[in-house]
């Protein structure tokens, strides 16, 4: 039986390779062809690979440790944003943002997009149940809008401002940016010009895998140009926005994931990152992508307006795949296809992204520690970090009203009322005393005349 399955697997790989140019179409064809063997394949894969289930959810259930943080008035500057000031959350990218397979238990389940648990924009349940950036901002502002829920593709209403498309590459980001702007403008639940927005862009995995077949199309320079085009669209069109750009990780680490399904999927959609003599070139290319994008963002190109900025969040730059007890890649962090994130990885990535956002530029973590928990903004510096407010000599451009100004006004009013009441009571007391004195004098006079 095992030999038969191996033959089927590799026939599907090579037949699909010859029939499709699109890697996502190729992937779907392989998964569909393997559907009837799904149970046997999971048994052949790494024993105990079941990254889903209540035990994983329970592992990440906890109270969010941070106190509320919201400005007393709507901020005028992107450099003075507190978490509770965010009104809208949005994201663009590929299947990792669409959350393909995040809660899948079988290979065919990887085709399902579990957008409600997506690390950068999911909004299912709340932060005590599902760890995601959407739920972090929902904690700080229960009225925040735009997070995706449930399952389905980017055209479903529940996707809201999660416009990520499985199989997307960097050259698709300009189109996704345009689609997102259209939704932001047309949705009656948003105020396009006044709402503060968090937009997260994460792309590049499919570019690296595409380089295996087309090195001219997926160069570092072209990747940078594609990201620049998308960011330029946001910069010229969207008011009141902080855009996160998340670096990509080194896909050559996928070779650490062992199992029949792992081998077949990797061979089909990203062969040069796992097999052959070009592995080191793929690793170098991923670093080139990251370095060029970092240079672009730090060029101050997107720091020309007080209400807009782009910030690089580098937590995946040098991230390593967690290992199991045998020294192989820990499959519980991956969907059954050994490529997409499991719920566990979505939770871990959301923590890393949030922690990056409250770390200054130049001091952001560029690795992921799976034991990390959500950190809280500093009471001394309560803002989300940007390129400008990370500078040592930065000072707020717009002084904020004191946090207790409302209380002070209330207390002042109460004090005034108190003074008035005391004064009136004093007057009444004086009048009563005068009346008593007057009556006593009158009584004495009456008594005198009587005698």
């Amino acid at each position: 039986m095992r030999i038969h399955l191996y033959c089927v697997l590799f026939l599907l790989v090579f037949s699909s390779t010859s029939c499709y140019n699109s890697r996502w179409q190729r992937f779907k064809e392989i998964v569909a062809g393997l559907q009837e063997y799904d149970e046997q394949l999971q048994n052949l894969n790494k024993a105990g690979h079941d990254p889903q289930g209540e035990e994983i959810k329970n592992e990440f259930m906890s109270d969010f440790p941070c106190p509320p943080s919201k400005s007393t008035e709507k901020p005028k500057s992107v450099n003075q944003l507190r978490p509770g000031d965010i009104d809208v959350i949005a994201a663009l990218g590929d299947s990792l943002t669409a959350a393909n397979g995040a809660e899948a238990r079988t290979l065919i389940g990887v085709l399902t997009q579990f957008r409600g648990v997506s690390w950068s924009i999911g909004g299912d349940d709340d932060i005590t149940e599902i760890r995601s950036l959407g739920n972090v901002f929902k904690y700080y502002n229960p009225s925040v809008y735009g997070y995706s829920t449930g399952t389905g593709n980017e055209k479903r209403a529940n996707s809201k401002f999660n416009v990520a498309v499985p199989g997307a590459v960097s050259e698709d980001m300009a189109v996704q940016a345009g689609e997102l702007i259209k939704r932001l403008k047309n949705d009656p639940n948003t105020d396009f010009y006044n709402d503060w927005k968090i937009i997260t862009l994460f792309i590049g995995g499919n570019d690296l895998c595409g380089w295996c077949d087309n090195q001219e199309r997926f160069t570092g320079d072209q990747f940078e140009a594609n990201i620049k085009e998308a960011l330029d669209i946001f910069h010229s069109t969207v008011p009141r926005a902080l855009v996160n750009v998340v670096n990509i990780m080194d896909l050559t680490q996928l070779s650490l994931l062992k199992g029949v399904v792992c081998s077949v999927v990797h061979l089909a959609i990203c062969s040069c990152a796992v097999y052959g003599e070009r592995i080191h070139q793929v690793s170098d290319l991923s670093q080139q992508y990251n370095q060029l994008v970092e240079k672009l963002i730090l060029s101050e190109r997107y720091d020309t307006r007080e209400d807009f900025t782009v910030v690089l969040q580098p937590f995946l730059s040098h991230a390593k795949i967690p290992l199991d007890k045998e020294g192989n890649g820990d499959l519980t962090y991956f969907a059954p296809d050994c490529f997409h994130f499991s719920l566990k990885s979505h939770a871990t990535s959301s923590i890393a992204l949030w922690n990056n956002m409250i770390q200054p530029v130049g001091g952001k973590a560029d690795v992921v520690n799976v034991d990390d928990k959500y950190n809280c903004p500093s009471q001394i510096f309560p803002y989300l970090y940007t390129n400008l407010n990370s500078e040592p000599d930065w000072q707020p451009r717009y002084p904020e009203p004191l946090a207790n100004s409302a209380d002070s006004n209330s207390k002042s009013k109460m004090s005034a009322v108190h003074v008035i009441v005391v004064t009136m009571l004093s007057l009444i007391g004086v009048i009563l005393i005068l009346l008593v004195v007057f009556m006593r004098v009158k009584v004495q006079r009456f008594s005198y005349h009587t005698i």
Side-chain angles (χ1 to χ4, degrees), residues 122-284:
D124 279 355
D125 298 317
D126 59 33
I127 194 60
T128 66
E129 299 280 346
I130 299 294
R131 294 192 171 188
S132 67
L133 191 67
N135 280 340
V136 169
F137 283 109
K138 196 197 299 185
Y139 166 83
Y140 281 108
N141 177 11
S143 299
V144 74
Y145 186 79
Y147 54 82
S148 51
T149 57
T151 61
N153 64 28
E154 74 282 358
K155 296 179 181 179
R156 295 278 297 272
N158 58 292
S159 72
K160 292 182 183 172
F161 298 151
N162 181 347
V163 298
V165 180
V169 293
S170 61
E171 64 190 29
D172 299 316
M173 291 303 94
V175 174
Q176 287 190 26
E179 172 62 23
L180 177 56
I181 291 169
K182 182 173 72 174
R183 294 188 189 189
L184 289 169
K185 286 183 174 180
N186 295 337
D187 196 304
N189 296 293
T190 62
D191 184 337
F192 181 72
Y193 294 100
N194 293 307
D195 284 346
W196 280 106
K197 312 161 193 71
I198 291 288
I199 302 171
T200 301
L201 187 159
F202 177 56
I203 198 71
N206 292 321
D207 292 72
L208 286 175
C209 294
W211 182 86
C212 297
D213 297 330
N214 192 332
Q215 296 183 22
E216 293 183 0
R217 180 183 175 189
F218 296 105
T219 64
D221 289 339
Q222 189 58 55
F223 182 81
E224 179 196 12
N226 294 335
I227 300 301
K228 177 175 172 290
E229 182 182 9
L231 295 179
D232 284 355
I233 291 172
F234 286 135
H235 185 230
S236 63
T237 309
V238 182
R240 296 199 166 187
L242 188 158
V243 180
N244 292 320
V245 175
V246 178
N247 272 350
I248 60 173
M249 67 181 296
D250 185 352
L251 292 185
T252 61
Q253 297 180 71
L254 292 174
S255 61
L256 296 171
L257 302 176
K258 306 300 181 182
V260 177
V261 174
C262 301
S263 299
V264 172
V265 171
H266 297 163
L267 180 62
I269 63 175
C270 207
S271 59
C272 71
V274 182
Y275 305 105
E277 300 177 351
R278 294 187 291 171
I279 292 178
H280 294 299
Q281 290 177 271
V282 175
S283 181
D284 291 343

Side-chain angles (χ1 to χ4, degrees), residues 42 45 49 51-52 101 104-107 110 261-262 334-338:
Q42 297 311 314
N45 215 4
H49 175 229
Q52 313 313 323
R105 291 178 178 271
T106 62
L107 191 60
V110 177
V261 174
C262 301
F334 291 85
D337 66 342
C338 309

Side-chain angles (χ1 to χ4, degrees), residues 5 22 55-56 78 103 166 230 280 290 336 355 403:
L5 282 173
S22 166
E55 68 281 2
I56 295 299
V78 71
E103 294 191 277
H280 294 299
N290 288 340
N355 289 345

